[in-house]
Amino acid sequence: EGTNDVFVLGQLKNFIRMHGIKHLVFKSDQERSLVAFLENVAADLRKEGMSLILEQSPVGESQSNGVAERQIQAVEDLLRTMRGALMHRLQTRIVATHPLFQWLILHVASVMNRFVVGRDGKTAFQRLHGRRASSKAVEFGERVFYYIPRKLRAKMSLRWRLGMYLGVASHSGENLI
């Protein structure tokens, strides 16, 4: 089912393009749906002249991907925590198929890239951009006011409206409401 998820496919391709990656090795286990998904990504990006290699670890040897496995665990931990906070705030259950869940995954990736400090004392954002990310942060799903520009509203319409914070756009740094 993941091989046909246009949203996820597009997000991964955009991430790779945005970071200027020209040569990439995708290493994964041999799970069929993941391999098929990565083959779709690789086929699309090869058409754009990128060099991509797909590698698979032996069956039952997930420990051979130790660094990746630890990162996956860290993402899952933060995702679980933020999902729990969101469900508590909204007083409803958020399942993996809920549209908010996709936005939450992107937000978790953004938080990890912008705020998790590595052994070198820098965040992934710092390593890529040479500067720290903005320290201003809003909790995912929090209700916030957002401004409506003059050209998008009638003269007597409200200038501010209430929305839900969904994270930061990785390509522009804009807040997503």
Side-chain angles (χ1 to χ4, degrees), residues 144-150 152-163 175 177:
V144 294
F145 282 102
Y146 65 97
Y147 181 75
I148 308 296
R150 174 174 269 151
L152 298 178
R153 60 182 157 86
K155 188 169 186 158
M156 292 306 293
S157 293
L158 295 174
R159 294 181 184 182
W160 296 87
R161 293 205 181 130
L162 198 55
N175 290 312
I177 310 296

Side-chain angles (χ1 to χ4, degrees), residues 116-127:
V116 175
V117 178
R119 290 184 195 157
D120 62 355
K122 295 181 180 180
T123 64
F125 184 94
Q126 277 180 285
R127 283 184 224 104

Side-chain angles (χ1 to χ4, degrees), residues 114 136-138 144 146 165-169 172-177:
R114 292 169 53 216
K136 296 177 183 175
V138 177
V144 294
Y146 65 97
Y165 179 78
L166 298 176
V168 176
S172 66
E174 295 172 290
N175 290 312
L176 302 170
I177 310 296

Side-chain angles (χ1 to χ4, degrees), residues 4-53:
N4 297 322
D5 193 327
V6 177
F7 178 80
V8 175
L9 187 66
Q11 289 295 315
L12 180 56
K13 289 189 302 188
N14 287 339
F15 178 85
I16 292 168
R17 284 186 201 109
M18 180 181 64
H19 289 89
I21 299 168
K22 298 294 180 198
H23 308 286
L24 183 64
V25 176
F26 278 123
K27 188 169 183 180
S28 70
D29 57 21
Q30 295 184 30
E31 186 202 349
R32 286 190 316 192
S33 63
L34 179 59
V35 170
F37 175 77
L38 293 176
E39 286 172 350
N40 285 344
V41 172
D44 284 356
L45 293 175
R46 282 186 188 122
K47 292 175 189 172
E48 299 175 22
M50 295 182 191
S51 168
L52 292 121
I53 299 169

Side-chain angles (χ1 to χ4, degrees), residues 89-115:
R89 185 178 323 100
L90 298 178
Q91 293 297 301
T92 190
R93 184 151 173 76
I94 306 292
V95 294
T97 56
H98 193 284
L100 276 177
F101 197 78
Q102 290 181 338
W103 288 101
L104 183 58
I105 292 169
L106 294 174
H107 180 67
V108 166
S110 174
V111 166
M112 293 194 76
N113 287 330
R114 292 169 53 216
F115 300 113

